Structures are given as structure tokens and as C-alpha cells.
Amino acid sequence: MTDAVISVRNLTMAYGSRLIQQDVSFDVMRGDIFVIMGGSGCGKSTLLQHLLGLLEPAKGEILYGEQNFTRSGPSERQ
């Protein structure tokens, strides 16, 4: 068990066959300041869209506390 507010595990993001990022993993703890930075086209906005539930991951999972966000329905994500 972890005290992470957000946990991303082995997240692979793609648009069809176009791979954006592969095997991304990180934890965000309560009180952390977390920065997502990188060059143009590296997947920052795509990662945020996955964290918000707007895009489905090609692989991996996103957890908010104990809840698996990638397996939750739209009504559970509110």
C-alpha cells in the first residue's frame, strides 16, 4: 500500500499504432509539487488527457488513491 494520491503504473500512450510514450510510472504524494515538462510533441498534453480520463491507455493503469481510474466508468470519475 502506498500513500500516493496519484499512481501511474506502466502507462503506455498511443494514438492507434503511433506510440507516444511507453512504460511511464510515477507517484504523486499529497503536498507534492509535480511538474510535467518537455519539448513540443513529447506527450505532455496526452499524459494530462489520460490523467483526466479523456483518453484510454494502450497499457497500464492510473490510480487515484485506491481507485483504479482506468477501469472506472465515466460516472465514477466525477
Side-chain angles (χ1 to χ4, degrees), residues 3-77:
D3 292 331
V5 177
I6 302 171
S7 295
V8 175
R9 297 284 172 258
N10 304 314
L11 183 66
T12 296
M13 300 171 284
Y15 292 109
S17 62
R18 182 173 174 223
L19 181 65
I20 306 300
Q21 288 283 333
Q22 182 174 322
D23 294 325
V24 176
S25 294
F26 61 86
D27 291 319
V28 179
M29 309 302 269
R30 184 170 305 283
D32 279 356
I33 297 173
F34 191 82
V35 177
I36 300 169
M37 59 188 291
S40 178
C42 72
K44 301 177 300 291
S45 295
T46 300
L47 173 60
L48 290 172
Q49 289 178 45
H50 279 80
L51 292 174
L52 292 170
L54 299 175
L55 295 175
E56 295 257 340
K59 181 182 128 190
E61 60 186 6
I62 301 167
L63 300 150
Y64 286 91
E66 300 288 321
Q67 181 181 5
N68 188 326
F69 197 64
T70 53
R71 295 186 189 140
S72 300
S75 64
E76 296 170 300
R77 293 179 187 175

